[in-house]
Structures are given as structure tokens and as C-alpha cells.
Amino acid sequence: MLALTDAQIGGWVGSFMLPLFRIAAVLMTMPVIGTQLVPVRVRMYFAVAFTLVLVPVLPAMPEVDALNLRSSLLVAEQVLIGVALGFSLQLFFHAFVVAGQIISTQMGLGFASMVDPTNGISVPVLGQFYLMLVTLLFLLMNGHLVVFEVLAESFVTIPVGEGLLTDHYWLLAGKLGWVLGAGLLLALPAITALLVVNIAFGVMTRAAPQLNIFSIGFPLTLVVGLFIVWIGMADLLSQFQLLLREALDLLRELARIR
């Protein structure tokens, strides 16, 4: 009969379960994989598989007791660390969504909305277009592999049981305004061009009051806005690379990776 001590069971549980909670928290909150398009069961299977591959090369984990308060605190710590790492990537993706929503509002396309399958809410079509485009670029440039590399290195730079990095989480909270700033920066050329168009319509209205500006201005603003979006696609890749570099730098800073 196989006899197992409490220390052996605690060591096995700690060496597998504690990394699993951090990895699962990242996969549940990060873009692409952590969306509603991927079932929760598939994400859990992927987290278990990733943990099984990673556990043999991880540093030694603390022994835990399943019914101990310390084990519950360690689990909560790993979940918070994983959520912070995944949420930092969500900031990057939502910067483009905010840019699409701002441009849609300025060009009068805000009424054209569709259901976002990743979040289950209704968003402007242009914002959804930017989100799909950024997702494809993120996967094409192997951004998900960089995230997995940072996640694996985080167990060395942030060992289990070290405690919550409250200063880094305040840094993440301060980056919330970065989403709005990046979205405005992306939408600034379109906003400026559409502002010039609206000023021209205002001058036309003053010069020819009998002109029905609503029947002419609305479709023309839509056409000009779509043309500006098409022209802006030429510079989208460089802006994507710049913002992705900032997002990955924030991810590495949260994980204490230099």
C-alpha cells in the first residue's frame, strides 16, 4: 500500500496548483484567448497543458495545506498577478476600439453597430473592424508567444509567496488613461479632417441658406470619413508596432523583467 505524508501531498499540490492559478488567470483575461469566442473549458484545458509543460523547469514552490488560510492567500495572490498581466494587454487592444468609436461618432457612423462576439456587447462597426485587424496583426507578429514567455519568466522574477506588488498595480491603474490618450492619437488625423469638412459645410450654409445641408452633408461626411479611414490604413502598422512595444514594456515591467 502506498503511504503518502502530508508534506508530500502539499508539495505536489503546491508545485502544480499554484502555477496553474496564475496561468489560468492570464488566459482568462488576456485578449484573443480570454474572450467569449474560446469556451472556458478549452481555456482551462490549455492552462492545464501549459502548466504541465512549465512545472518541471519552475523554481521550487512552497508547500501548502489545502485547508490552511495561507494557501488561500497564495491562490488569491497568483490570481491577482495573472489578472494584472492579462489586463495590461486588454489596455492595448481597447486603445484601437476607442479610436474606432471616436472616428465613428465624428463621421456619423455611430448608429451602425454590431454585436461584439468577444465581449457580448454592441459596438460600432468601425471599432469592431479595428479590433479584428489588431487581433490578426497581434497573432501574425507572434505577440501571444511573447506573452507566454513573459508569463513563464514571471515565476522567476515574481516567486510564489513573495507577496503582491502593490506599486506595480498602482502603475497599471495609472495606465488606464493611456487607453484614451492612445485612442485619441490614433483618431486625431480623422478628427482633424472631419472638422475641416464640417467647417466647410458651415461656410456653405452661411453663403447659401437655401441649401439643405443635412441632405448633402450627412452622406458626404460618411464618404469622406471612410476615405480618411482607408488612407489611414497605410500608417496603421507603424502605430500598431509603437503601441504594441509600449504594451509589452508595461507587461514586462509588471512582471519585473528587464
Side-chain angles (χ1 to χ4, degrees):
M1 183 176 180
L2 180 62
L4 298 176
T5 62
D6 294 340
Q8 290 175 325
I9 297 176
W12 291 345
V13 171
S15 62
F16 178 78
M17 294 300 295
L18 293 178
L20 176 62
F21 279 105
R22 183 185 298 189
I23 294 172
V26 172
L27 296 181
M28 291 294 177
T29 55
M30 70 174 291
V32 184
I33 299 177
T35 61
Q36 295 184 4
L37 297 176
V38 182
V40 178
R41 183 177 298 179
V42 174
R43 281 178 272 173
M44 286 303 303
Y45 289 157
F46 188 52
V48 171
F50 190 73
T51 305
L52 289 175
V53 174
L54 201 60
V55 160
V57 297
L58 292 180
M61 298 293 166
E63 297 181 358
V64 297
D65 185 1
L67 301 179
N68 194 357
L69 178 61
R70 180 172 177 269
S71 63
S72 301
L73 294 177
L74 287 176
V75 168
E77 172 191 319
Q78 303 313 304
V79 171
L80 288 176
I81 293 175
V83 169
L85 295 178
F87 184 71
S88 63
L89 289 174
Q90 291 284 358
L91 295 178
F92 164 70
F93 275 73
H94 280 80
F96 289 87
V97 176
V98 170
Q101 291 176 346
I102 293 175
I103 297 175
S104 298
T105 303
Q106 292 296 320
M107 63 187 291
L109 201 62
F111 66 89
S113 60
M114 62 178 295
V115 177
D116 182 7
T118 60
N119 299 313
I121 59 176
S122 182
V123 296
V125 175
L126 192 56
Q128 185 66 17
F129 170 74
Y130 276 126
L131 180 60
M132 291 188 295
L133 186 60
V134 169
T135 302
L136 293 176
L137 290 175
F138 182 77
L139 295 176
L140 183 64
M141 295 184 177
N142 292 327
H144 57 294
L145 300 182
V146 177
V147 175
F148 296 154
E149 179 185 0
V150 172
L151 177 58
E153 293 182 7
S154 68
F155 288 98
V156 179
T157 56
I158 311 177
V160 176
E162 180 177 323
L164 295 178
L165 307 177
T166 54
D167 53 340
H168 286 66
Y169 298 128
W170 280 113
L171 172 65
L172 181 61
K175 285 289 184 178
L176 292 177
W178 175 78
V179 178
L180 183 59
L184 287 173
L185 182 63
L186 291 169
L188 188 59
I191 293 175
T192 305
L194 292 173
L195 179 61
V196 173
V197 173
N198 291 328
I199 292 175
F201 285 146
V203 174
M204 290 172 57
T205 304
R206 296 292 296 178
Q210 68 277 10
L211 183 65
N212 190 353
I213 197 63
F214 293 102
S215 61
I216 300 176
F218 184 70
L220 189 58
T221 304
L222 285 177
V223 173
V224 173
L226 292 176
F227 179 75
I228 293 170
V229 171
W230 175 61
I231 294 297
M233 289 292 104
D235 194 45
L236 183 64
L237 182 59
S238 60
Q239 294 175 339
F240 171 83
Q241 292 175 339
L242 178 62
L243 294 178
L244 180 60
R245 188 180 301 112
E246 293 184 9
L248 293 179
D249 288 342
L250 173 61
L251 184 67
R252 291 180 176 274
E253 189 172 358
L254 288 172
R256 283 185 171 179
I257 299 175
R258 296 293 182 263

